[in-house]
Amino acid sequence: MPIYEFRCPSCAEFRLSLPISAETSAPVRCPVCSERSPRVFRAPGVARTPTGLATARGPEEASRDQPQVVRRAATPHKGGERSPLRAKPHLPALPRP
Ligand SMILES: [Zn+2]
C-alpha cells in the first residue's frame, strides 16, 4: 500500500499507509489529536542520470536492439602487448558470420 503524508494543524506531519482505492485527497483524522489533517503534496523524487553514467549506458542500450556483428578478428595492439585472441586459442576457430 502506498504511504501518504498529512499535516496536522496542531501536531506535526504524519504518514499513513492507505489502500490505492482509498480517497486520499480528503483530510484524515490525526492519530494523536483527531483533528482534520489535509494531505501534503510534494514533488516526486525524480533524479537526473549523471552524464558519465548516461554516456556509458548509451552504447549498451544501443547494442541491446541492434548488436554489432564482428566480421574479422581484432587486430593485435602495437607495442608487444598480447592480443586477447592469443590468450584464448579456441576463439579463431569459432564460426564467422
Ligand atoms: Zn494532531
Side-chain angles (χ1 to χ4, degrees):
M1 287 191 290
I3 298 173
Y4 299 94
E5 294 182 47
F6 298 90
R7 180 180 295 128
C8 174
S10 302
C11 303
E13 292 184 2
F14 59 93
R15 294 177 168 191
L16 283 180
S17 181
L18 300 171
I20 292 179
S21 60
E23 173 60 44
T24 57
S25 60
V28 298
R29 296 286 177 184
C30 172
V32 177
C33 66
S34 300
E35 193 160 345
R36 290 173 51 94
S37 306
R39 184 174 165 195
V40 176
F41 293 91
R42 298 187 190 278
V46 178
R48 188 172 182 174
T49 304
T51 305
L53 179 60
T55 303
R57 291 188 65 191
E60 173 193 328
E61 292 180 4
S63 68
R64 181 175 47 206
D65 296 329
Q66 296 177 343
Q68 293 181 346
V69 177
V70 177
R71 301 202 183 278
R72 59 183 169 86
T75 56
H77 296 282
K78 294 182 179 179
E81 191 174 314
R82 289 189 61 184
S83 167
L85 292 178
R86 289 185 193 153
K88 298 178 181 177
H90 63 279
L91 289 179
L94 293 175
R96 302 281 179 218

